[in-house]
Amino acid sequence: MNLSQAIQDLFTDIRDVAQIIAPIAAIIGFIGLGVMYMGSSWPLIGDWKKDNPKAANQVVIGLLFVVFASSVTALISFT
């Protein structure tokens, strides 16, 4: 196996792992975002949301990054 093939195999493995992890992270993020919005009436989540006003925005930005990263990995092909 030459160096070129080893590098190609490495990036293929990284792409495969990213394609598995990205949807799982997106699902967890969307569930977390839903809990943050719908659970605001619960005292524990409501107090946490008051203490962290930027948390929802950061979750949305993280989800956009995950969606972007997963679409980029889907476009990468080493054929």
Side-chain angles (χ1 to χ4, degrees):
M1 178 185 291
N2 58 13
L3 181 60
S4 172
Q5 184 64 35
I7 292 172
Q8 211 168 19
D9 290 345
L10 174 69
F11 281 113
T12 302
D13 292 342
I14 291 172
R15 182 192 65 198
D16 293 342
V17 169
Q19 286 177 337
I20 293 170
I21 292 175
I24 294 169
I27 289 169
I28 291 170
F30 280 116
I31 290 172
L33 192 60
V35 168
M36 284 172 53
Y37 279 117
M38 301 302 286
S40 295
S41 60
W42 296 345
L44 181 65
I45 296 175
D47 291 343
W48 180 82
K49 195 172 174 185
K50 286 178 191 173
D51 293 339
N52 301 297
K54 294 183 181 181
N57 293 337
Q58 292 171 346
V59 170
V60 171
I61 290 172
L63 287 173
L64 291 175
F65 178 75
V66 166
V67 169
F68 174 74
S70 65
S71 61
V72 167
T73 57
L75 294 174
I76 295 173
S77 64
F78 296 103
T79 58

